[in-house]
mmCIF file of all heavy atoms in Angstrom:
data_model
loop_
_atom_site.group_PDB
_atom_site.id
_atom_site.type_symbol
_atom_site.label_atom_id
_atom_site.label_comp_id
_atom_site.label_asym_id
_atom_site.label_seq_id
_atom_site.Cartn_x
_atom_site.Cartn_y
_atom_site.Cartn_z
ATOM 1 N N ASP A 7 3.847 6.549 2.953
ATOM 2 C CA ASP A 7 2.893 6.914 1.852
ATOM 3 C C ASP A 7 3.556 6.790 0.421
ATOM 4 O O ASP A 7 2.912 7.129 -0.458
ATOM 5 C CB ASP A 7 2.514 8.526 1.950
ATOM 6 C CG ASP A 7 1.970 8.786 3.346
ATOM 7 O OD1 ASP A 7 0.925 8.114 3.783
ATOM 8 O OD2 ASP A 7 2.337 9.816 4.087
ATOM 9 N N VAL A 8 4.615 6.210 0.389
ATOM 10 C CA VAL A 8 5.363 6.082 -0.916
ATOM 11 C C VAL A 8 5.360 4.471 -1.200
ATOM 12 O O VAL A 8 5.699 3.637 -0.432
ATOM 13 C CB VAL A 8 6.913 6.593 -0.748
ATOM 14 C CG1 VAL A 8 7.613 6.298 -2.026
ATOM 15 C CG2 VAL A 8 6.812 8.035 -0.349
ATOM 16 N N TYR A 9 5.154 4.320 -2.426
ATOM 17 C CA TYR A 9 5.167 2.927 -3.113
ATOM 18 C C TYR A 9 6.053 2.938 -4.252
ATOM 19 O O TYR A 9 5.903 3.673 -5.276
ATOM 20 C CB TYR A 9 3.790 2.524 -3.427
ATOM 21 C CG TYR A 9 2.815 2.428 -2.340
ATOM 22 C CD1 TYR A 9 2.217 3.586 -1.749
ATOM 23 C CD2 TYR A 9 2.336 1.088 -1.751
ATOM 24 C CE1 TYR A 9 1.288 3.543 -0.736
ATOM 25 C CE2 TYR A 9 1.540 1.179 -0.735
ATOM 26 C CZ TYR A 9 0.946 2.298 -0.298
ATOM 27 O OH TYR A 9 -0.019 2.187 0.799
ATOM 28 N N THR A 10 6.925 2.081 -4.281
ATOM 29 C CA THR A 10 7.839 1.860 -5.557
ATOM 30 C C THR A 10 7.084 0.864 -6.473
ATOM 31 O O THR A 10 6.355 0.059 -6.013
ATOM 32 C CB THR A 10 9.236 1.508 -5.292
ATOM 33 O OG1 THR A 10 9.148 0.110 -4.639
ATOM 34 C CG2 THR A 10 9.942 2.493 -4.265
ATOM 35 N N GLY A 11 7.398 1.032 -7.700
ATOM 36 C CA GLY A 11 6.781 0.101 -8.779
ATOM 37 C C GLY A 11 7.749 -0.244 -9.889
ATOM 38 O O GLY A 11 8.807 0.493 -10.095
ATOM 39 N N ASN A 12 7.438 -1.224 -10.670
ATOM 40 C CA ASN A 12 8.022 -1.585 -11.738
ATOM 41 C C ASN A 12 7.708 -0.634 -12.971
ATOM 42 O O ASN A 12 6.832 -1.001 -13.908
ATOM 43 C CB ASN A 12 7.729 -3.032 -12.307
ATOM 44 C CG ASN A 12 8.157 -4.051 -11.242
ATOM 45 O OD1 ASN A 12 9.342 -4.031 -10.962
ATOM 46 N ND2 ASN A 12 7.295 -4.747 -10.614
ATOM 47 N N GLY A 13 8.108 0.544 -12.923
ATOM 48 C CA GLY A 13 7.766 1.739 -13.706
ATOM 49 C C GLY A 13 6.426 2.347 -13.135
ATOM 50 O O GLY A 13 5.763 1.620 -12.300
ATOM 51 N N VAL A 14 6.205 3.529 -13.687
ATOM 52 C CA VAL A 14 4.886 4.134 -13.187
ATOM 53 C C VAL A 14 3.735 3.383 -13.680
ATOM 54 O O VAL A 14 2.706 3.304 -12.998
ATOM 55 C CB VAL A 14 4.910 5.579 -13.773
ATOM 56 C CG1 VAL A 14 3.514 6.158 -13.642
ATOM 57 C CG2 VAL A 14 5.897 6.366 -12.920
ATOM 58 N N SER A 15 3.843 2.647 -14.787
ATOM 59 C CA SER A 15 2.608 2.007 -15.481
ATOM 60 C C SER A 15 2.068 1.015 -14.527
ATOM 61 O O SER A 15 0.721 0.956 -14.330
ATOM 62 C CB SER A 15 3.181 1.244 -16.696
ATOM 63 O OG SER A 15 3.604 2.120 -17.646
ATOM 64 N N GLU A 16 2.792 0.328 -13.716
ATOM 65 C CA GLU A 16 2.213 -0.695 -12.797
ATOM 66 C C GLU A 16 1.414 0.041 -11.742
ATOM 67 O O GLU A 16 0.421 -0.481 -11.388
ATOM 68 C CB GLU A 16 3.368 -1.625 -12.160
ATOM 69 C CG GLU A 16 2.950 -2.463 -11.091
ATOM 70 C CD GLU A 16 3.993 -3.185 -10.403
ATOM 71 O OE1 GLU A 16 4.987 -2.499 -9.961
ATOM 72 O OE2 GLU A 16 4.074 -4.379 -10.235
ATOM 73 N N LEU A 17 1.913 1.122 -11.255
ATOM 74 C CA LEU A 17 1.360 1.861 -10.253
ATOM 75 C C LEU A 17 0.045 2.511 -10.570
ATOM 76 O O LEU A 17 -0.928 2.607 -9.782
ATOM 77 C CB LEU A 17 2.173 2.779 -9.603
ATOM 78 C CG LEU A 17 3.507 2.124 -8.841
ATOM 79 C CD1 LEU A 17 4.641 3.243 -8.567
ATOM 80 C CD2 LEU A 17 3.073 1.441 -7.563
ATOM 81 N N ILE A 18 0.066 3.018 -11.934
ATOM 82 C CA ILE A 18 -1.268 3.509 -12.420
ATOM 83 C C ILE A 18 -2.411 2.539 -12.399
ATOM 84 O O ILE A 18 -3.552 2.805 -11.929
ATOM 85 C CB ILE A 18 -1.141 4.085 -13.747
ATOM 86 C CG1 ILE A 18 -0.214 5.356 -13.722
ATOM 87 C CG2 ILE A 18 -2.400 4.381 -14.573
ATOM 88 C CD1 ILE A 18 0.321 5.870 -15.134
ATOM 89 N N THR A 19 -2.076 1.253 -12.977
ATOM 90 C CA THR A 19 -2.928 0.209 -12.905
ATOM 91 C C THR A 19 -3.495 -0.196 -11.391
ATOM 92 O O THR A 19 -4.620 -0.300 -11.199
ATOM 93 C CB THR A 19 -2.367 -0.874 -13.639
ATOM 94 O OG1 THR A 19 -2.068 -0.597 -14.853
ATOM 95 C CG2 THR A 19 -3.453 -2.143 -13.771
ATOM 96 N N LEU A 20 -2.469 -0.302 -10.584
ATOM 97 C CA LEU A 20 -2.775 -0.686 -9.193
ATOM 98 C C LEU A 20 -3.745 0.440 -8.574
ATOM 99 O O LEU A 20 -4.648 0.160 -7.896
ATOM 100 C CB LEU A 20 -1.462 -0.766 -8.499
ATOM 101 C CG LEU A 20 -1.567 -1.230 -7.014
ATOM 102 C CD1 LEU A 20 -0.201 -1.951 -6.692
ATOM 103 C CD2 LEU A 20 -1.695 0.031 -6.063
ATOM 104 N N SER A 21 -3.407 1.730 -8.817
ATOM 105 C CA SER A 21 -4.283 2.855 -8.174
ATOM 106 C C SER A 21 -5.733 2.796 -8.646
ATOM 107 O O SER A 21 -6.711 3.133 -7.919
ATOM 108 C CB SER A 21 -3.650 4.191 -8.578
ATOM 109 O OG SER A 21 -3.838 4.551 -9.896
ATOM 110 N N MET A 22 -5.947 2.361 -9.904
ATOM 111 C CA MET A 22 -7.275 2.178 -10.492
ATOM 112 C C MET A 22 -7.939 1.015 -9.953
ATOM 113 O O MET A 22 -9.152 0.971 -9.569
ATOM 114 C CB MET A 22 -7.182 2.243 -11.943
ATOM 115 C CG MET A 22 -6.841 3.453 -12.588
ATOM 116 S SD MET A 22 -7.962 4.854 -12.248
ATOM 117 C CE MET A 22 -6.884 5.947 -11.217
ATOM 118 N N GLN A 23 -7.326 -0.032 -9.926
ATOM 119 C CA GLN A 23 -7.833 -1.414 -9.371
ATOM 120 C C GLN A 23 -8.328 -1.310 -8.036
ATOM 121 O O GLN A 23 -9.221 -1.825 -7.471
ATOM 122 C CB GLN A 23 -6.845 -2.628 -9.476
ATOM 123 C CG GLN A 23 -6.598 -2.886 -10.915
ATOM 124 C CD GLN A 23 -5.440 -4.013 -11.137
ATOM 125 O OE1 GLN A 23 -4.569 -4.083 -10.244
ATOM 126 N NE2 GLN A 23 -5.564 -4.664 -12.223
ATOM 127 N N GLY A 24 -7.522 -0.458 -7.259
ATOM 128 C CA GLY A 24 -7.847 -0.347 -5.722
ATOM 129 C C GLY A 24 -9.029 0.535 -5.417
ATOM 130 O O GLY A 24 -9.596 0.676 -4.395
ATOM 131 N N LEU A 25 -9.463 1.353 -6.523
ATOM 132 C CA LEU A 25 -10.533 2.374 -6.272
ATOM 133 C C LEU A 25 -11.859 2.104 -6.972
ATOM 134 O O LEU A 25 -12.863 2.392 -6.317
ATOM 135 C CB LEU A 25 -9.921 3.778 -6.863
ATOM 136 C CG LEU A 25 -10.923 4.922 -6.906
ATOM 137 C CD1 LEU A 25 -11.258 5.328 -5.525
ATOM 138 C CD2 LEU A 25 -10.348 6.124 -7.788
ATOM 139 N N LEU A 26 -11.876 1.612 -8.254
ATOM 140 C CA LEU A 26 -13.138 1.745 -9.025
ATOM 141 C C LEU A 26 -14.046 0.475 -8.934
ATOM 142 O O LEU A 26 -13.486 -0.615 -8.932
ATOM 143 C CB LEU A 26 -12.610 1.880 -10.575
ATOM 144 C CG LEU A 26 -11.855 3.188 -10.789
ATOM 145 C CD1 LEU A 26 -11.414 3.079 -12.314
ATOM 146 C CD2 LEU A 26 -12.583 4.335 -10.414
ATOM 147 N N ASP A 27 -15.279 0.823 -8.927
ATOM 148 C CA ASP A 27 -16.343 -0.084 -9.241
ATOM 149 C C ASP A 27 -17.040 0.168 -10.536
ATOM 150 O O ASP A 27 -16.823 1.149 -11.006
ATOM 151 C CB ASP A 27 -17.346 -0.043 -7.940
ATOM 152 C CG ASP A 27 -16.888 -0.479 -6.696
ATOM 153 O OD1 ASP A 27 -16.025 -1.512 -6.602
ATOM 154 O OD2 ASP A 27 -17.176 0.211 -5.632
ATOM 155 N N TYR A 28 -17.740 -0.807 -10.940
ATOM 156 C CA TYR A 28 -18.410 -0.581 -12.219
ATOM 157 C C TYR A 28 -19.331 0.529 -12.169
ATOM 158 O O TYR A 28 -20.192 0.645 -11.130
ATOM 159 C CB TYR A 28 -19.219 -1.922 -12.632
ATOM 160 C CG TYR A 28 -18.297 -2.987 -13.128
ATOM 161 C CD1 TYR A 28 -17.970 -4.024 -12.221
ATOM 162 C CD2 TYR A 28 -17.731 -3.005 -14.364
ATOM 163 C CE1 TYR A 28 -17.069 -4.960 -12.589
ATOM 164 C CE2 TYR A 28 -16.990 -4.015 -14.853
ATOM 165 C CZ TYR A 28 -16.534 -5.101 -13.945
ATOM 166 O OH TYR A 28 -15.710 -5.951 -14.227
ATOM 167 N N GLY A 29 -19.161 1.387 -13.084
ATOM 168 C CA GLY A 29 -20.017 2.695 -13.259
ATOM 169 C C GLY A 29 -19.280 3.860 -12.771
ATOM 170 O O GLY A 29 -19.726 5.105 -12.965
ATOM 171 N N ASP A 30 -18.257 3.607 -11.923
ATOM 172 C CA ASP A 30 -17.473 4.767 -11.519
ATOM 173 C C ASP A 30 -16.722 5.464 -12.598
ATOM 174 O O ASP A 30 -16.447 4.808 -13.608
ATOM 175 C CB ASP A 30 -16.402 4.398 -10.562
ATOM 176 C CG ASP A 30 -17.047 3.955 -9.092
ATOM 177 O OD1 ASP A 30 -18.118 4.325 -8.838
ATOM 178 O OD2 ASP A 30 -16.344 3.280 -8.359
ATOM 179 N N GLU A 31 -16.477 6.815 -12.609
ATOM 180 C CA GLU A 31 -15.980 7.488 -13.623
ATOM 181 C C GLU A 31 -14.643 8.296 -13.287
ATOM 182 O O GLU A 31 -14.507 8.661 -12.024
ATOM 183 C CB GLU A 31 -16.934 8.737 -14.159
ATOM 184 C CG GLU A 31 -18.178 8.117 -14.831
ATOM 185 C CD GLU A 31 -19.157 9.131 -15.263
ATOM 186 O OE1 GLU A 31 -18.977 10.298 -15.024
ATOM 187 O OE2 GLU A 31 -20.186 8.779 -15.914
ATOM 188 N N ILE A 32 -13.700 8.252 -14.104
ATOM 189 C CA ILE A 32 -12.505 8.982 -13.975
ATOM 190 C C ILE A 32 -12.192 10.046 -15.091
ATOM 191 O O ILE A 32 -12.440 9.576 -16.240
ATOM 192 C CB ILE A 32 -11.330 8.168 -13.866
ATOM 193 C CG1 ILE A 32 -11.303 7.155 -12.576
ATOM 194 C CG2 ILE A 32 -9.868 9.040 -13.775
ATOM 195 C CD1 ILE A 32 -11.157 7.921 -11.236
ATOM 196 N N LEU A 33 -12.035 11.317 -14.900
ATOM 197 C CA LEU A 33 -11.772 12.233 -15.821
ATOM 198 C C LEU A 33 -10.310 12.041 -16.308
ATOM 199 O O LEU A 33 -9.314 12.157 -15.597
ATOM 200 C CB LEU A 33 -12.075 13.661 -15.375
ATOM 201 C CG LEU A 33 -13.489 13.903 -15.041
ATOM 202 C CD1 LEU A 33 -13.494 15.245 -14.155
ATOM 203 C CD2 LEU A 33 -14.235 14.199 -16.255
ATOM 204 N N VAL A 34 -10.194 11.935 -17.592
ATOM 205 C CA VAL A 34 -8.780 11.736 -18.193
ATOM 206 C C VAL A 34 -8.593 12.639 -19.448
ATOM 207 O O VAL A 34 -9.609 12.989 -20.190
ATOM 208 C CB VAL A 34 -8.775 10.234 -18.721
ATOM 209 C CG1 VAL A 34 -7.424 10.062 -19.491
ATOM 210 C CG2 VAL A 34 -8.965 9.268 -17.628
ATOM 211 N N PRO A 35 -7.569 13.277 -19.490
ATOM 212 C CA PRO A 35 -7.369 14.188 -20.590
ATOM 213 C C PRO A 35 -7.398 13.693 -22.141
ATOM 214 O O PRO A 35 -7.081 12.377 -22.283
ATOM 215 C CB PRO A 35 -6.056 14.824 -20.383
ATOM 216 C CG PRO A 35 -5.196 13.781 -19.607
ATOM 217 C CD PRO A 35 -6.180 13.132 -18.783
ATOM 218 N N ALA A 36 -7.766 14.499 -22.951
ATOM 219 C CA ALA A 36 -7.752 14.112 -24.298
ATOM 220 C C ALA A 36 -6.998 15.234 -25.115
ATOM 221 O O ALA A 36 -7.450 16.378 -25.049
ATOM 222 C CB ALA A 36 -9.098 13.997 -25.046
ATOM 223 N N PRO A 37 -5.762 14.957 -25.622
ATOM 224 C CA PRO A 37 -5.089 13.619 -25.798
ATOM 225 C C PRO A 37 -4.573 13.231 -24.433
ATOM 226 O O PRO A 37 -4.298 13.941 -23.551
ATOM 227 C CB PRO A 37 -4.010 13.842 -26.791
ATOM 228 C CG PRO A 37 -3.691 15.255 -26.724
ATOM 229 C CD PRO A 37 -4.986 15.988 -26.388
ATOM 230 N N ASP A 38 -4.331 11.911 -24.413
ATOM 231 C CA ASP A 38 -3.849 11.214 -23.064
ATOM 232 C C ASP A 38 -2.759 10.403 -23.404
ATOM 233 O O ASP A 38 -2.484 9.947 -24.517
ATOM 234 C CB ASP A 38 -5.087 10.429 -22.333
ATOM 235 C CG ASP A 38 -5.353 9.196 -23.203
ATOM 236 O OD1 ASP A 38 -5.124 9.039 -24.274
ATOM 237 O OD2 ASP A 38 -6.087 8.399 -22.419
ATOM 238 N N TYR A 39 -2.045 9.989 -22.277
ATOM 239 C CA TYR A 39 -1.117 8.789 -22.372
ATOM 240 C C TYR A 39 -2.108 7.556 -22.179
ATOM 241 O O TYR A 39 -2.839 7.415 -21.080
ATOM 242 C CB TYR A 39 -0.259 8.785 -21.155
ATOM 243 C CG TYR A 39 0.637 7.584 -21.037
ATOM 244 C CD1 TYR A 39 1.399 7.157 -22.193
ATOM 245 C CD2 TYR A 39 0.710 6.856 -19.870
ATOM 246 C CE1 TYR A 39 2.177 6.025 -22.124
ATOM 247 C CE2 TYR A 39 1.593 5.666 -19.926
ATOM 248 C CZ TYR A 39 2.243 5.290 -20.946
ATOM 249 O OH TYR A 39 3.035 4.205 -20.874
ATOM 250 N N PRO A 40 -2.301 6.666 -23.243
ATOM 251 C CA PRO A 40 -3.523 5.712 -23.232
ATOM 252 C C PRO A 40 -3.400 4.719 -22.139
ATOM 253 O O PRO A 40 -4.453 4.119 -21.979
ATOM 254 C CB PRO A 40 -3.144 5.051 -24.689
ATOM 255 C CG PRO A 40 -1.894 5.451 -25.087
ATOM 256 C CD PRO A 40 -1.422 6.703 -24.394
ATOM 257 N N LEU A 41 -2.483 4.476 -21.448
ATOM 258 C CA LEU A 41 -2.509 3.616 -20.257
ATOM 259 C C LEU A 41 -3.407 3.968 -19.254
ATOM 260 O O LEU A 41 -4.137 3.238 -18.612
ATOM 261 C CB LEU A 41 -1.138 3.457 -19.629
ATOM 262 C CG LEU A 41 -0.966 2.489 -18.478
ATOM 263 C CD1 LEU A 41 -1.079 0.991 -18.935
ATOM 264 C CD2 LEU A 41 0.163 2.681 -17.711
ATOM 265 N N TRP A 42 -3.663 5.299 -19.074
ATOM 266 C CA TRP A 42 -4.624 5.732 -18.051
ATOM 267 C C TRP A 42 -6.065 5.384 -18.462
ATOM 268 O O TRP A 42 -6.825 4.795 -17.636
ATOM 269 C CB TRP A 42 -4.637 7.278 -18.024
ATOM 270 C CG TRP A 42 -3.536 7.795 -17.123
ATOM 271 C CD1 TRP A 42 -2.395 8.437 -17.551
ATOM 272 C CD2 TRP A 42 -3.478 7.741 -15.746
ATOM 273 N NE1 TRP A 42 -1.596 8.671 -16.493
ATOM 274 C CE2 TRP A 42 -2.184 8.312 -15.347
ATOM 275 C CE3 TRP A 42 -4.478 7.426 -14.750
ATOM 276 C CZ2 TRP A 42 -1.859 8.412 -13.995
ATOM 277 C CZ3 TRP A 42 -4.031 7.520 -13.384
ATOM 278 C CH2 TRP A 42 -2.732 7.985 -12.967
ATOM 279 N N THR A 43 -6.409 5.531 -19.675
ATOM 280 C CA THR A 43 -7.701 5.047 -20.124
ATOM 281 C C THR A 43 -7.876 3.512 -19.951
ATOM 282 O O THR A 43 -9.038 3.059 -19.630
ATOM 283 C CB THR A 43 -8.005 5.580 -21.612
ATOM 284 O OG1 THR A 43 -7.988 6.886 -21.607
ATOM 285 C CG2 THR A 43 -9.350 5.022 -22.169
ATOM 286 N N ALA A 44 -6.861 2.783 -20.406
ATOM 287 C CA ALA A 44 -6.917 1.397 -20.440
ATOM 288 C C ALA A 44 -7.072 0.929 -19.064
ATOM 289 O O ALA A 44 -7.736 -0.022 -18.706
ATOM 290 C CB ALA A 44 -5.662 0.826 -21.078
ATOM 291 N N SER A 45 -6.334 1.513 -18.110
ATOM 292 C CA SER A 45 -6.335 1.102 -16.613
ATOM 293 C C SER A 45 -7.603 1.426 -15.930
ATOM 294 O O SER A 45 -8.191 0.494 -15.173
ATOM 295 C CB SER A 45 -5.144 1.850 -15.832
ATOM 296 O OG SER A 45 -3.885 1.378 -16.355
ATOM 297 N N VAL A 46 -8.268 2.450 -16.285
ATOM 298 C CA VAL A 46 -9.650 2.816 -15.798
ATOM 299 C C VAL A 46 -10.584 1.849 -16.285
ATOM 300 O O VAL A 46 -11.324 1.259 -15.506
ATOM 301 C CB VAL A 46 -9.976 4.267 -16.132
ATOM 302 C CG1 VAL A 46 -11.575 4.485 -15.888
ATOM 303 C CG2 VAL A 46 -9.202 5.370 -15.508
ATOM 304 N N THR A 47 -10.520 1.439 -17.610
ATOM 305 C CA THR A 47 -11.521 0.581 -18.113
ATOM 306 C C THR A 47 -11.228 -0.876 -17.650
ATOM 307 O O THR A 47 -12.309 -1.555 -17.177
ATOM 308 C CB THR A 47 -11.363 0.549 -19.719
ATOM 309 O OG1 THR A 47 -11.520 1.911 -20.165
ATOM 310 C CG2 THR A 47 -12.399 -0.329 -20.312
ATOM 311 N N LEU A 48 -9.862 -1.359 -17.519
ATOM 312 C CA LEU A 48 -9.802 -2.634 -17.016
ATOM 313 C C LEU A 48 -10.265 -2.907 -15.511
ATOM 314 O O LEU A 48 -10.454 -4.049 -15.063
ATOM 315 C CB LEU A 48 -8.297 -3.085 -17.129
ATOM 316 C CG LEU A 48 -7.880 -3.244 -18.647
ATOM 317 C CD1 LEU A 48 -6.427 -3.291 -18.673
ATOM 318 C CD2 LEU A 48 -8.476 -4.570 -19.198
ATOM 319 N N ALA A 49 -10.172 -1.734 -14.844
ATOM 320 C CA ALA A 49 -10.614 -1.824 -13.454
ATOM 321 C C ALA A 49 -12.131 -1.667 -13.281
ATOM 322 O O ALA A 49 -12.698 -1.814 -12.185
ATOM 323 C CB ALA A 49 -9.986 -0.645 -12.613
ATOM 324 N N GLY A 50 -12.838 -1.614 -14.409
ATOM 325 C CA GLY A 50 -14.347 -1.622 -14.321
ATOM 326 C C GLY A 50 -14.900 -0.242 -14.474
ATOM 327 O O GLY A 50 -16.120 -0.172 -14.440
#
């Protein structure tokens, strides 16, 4: 159940790419660490 990554940033992006289809929503805090918003958006 454990995955290592080149920093957490890579794994955040990977987790969004594996989940999201266009139109899906993820709740993200405001203010946020902006990589979360970018990763959600880049995954569609």
Side-chain angles (χ1 to χ4, degrees):
D7 301 312
V8 175
Y9 297 75
T10 62
N12 297 301
V14 166
S15 300
E16 177 187 50
L17 296 168
I18 288 172
T19 301
L20 186 151
S21 71
M22 293 296 110
Q23 290 176 336
L25 176 67
L26 298 177
D27 294 319
Y28 287 98
D30 290 343
E31 296 175 353
I32 296 290
L33 292 165
V34 179
D38 70 344
Y39 175 55
L41 178 73
W42 279 105
T43 294
S45 294
V46 170
T47 306
L48 288 167

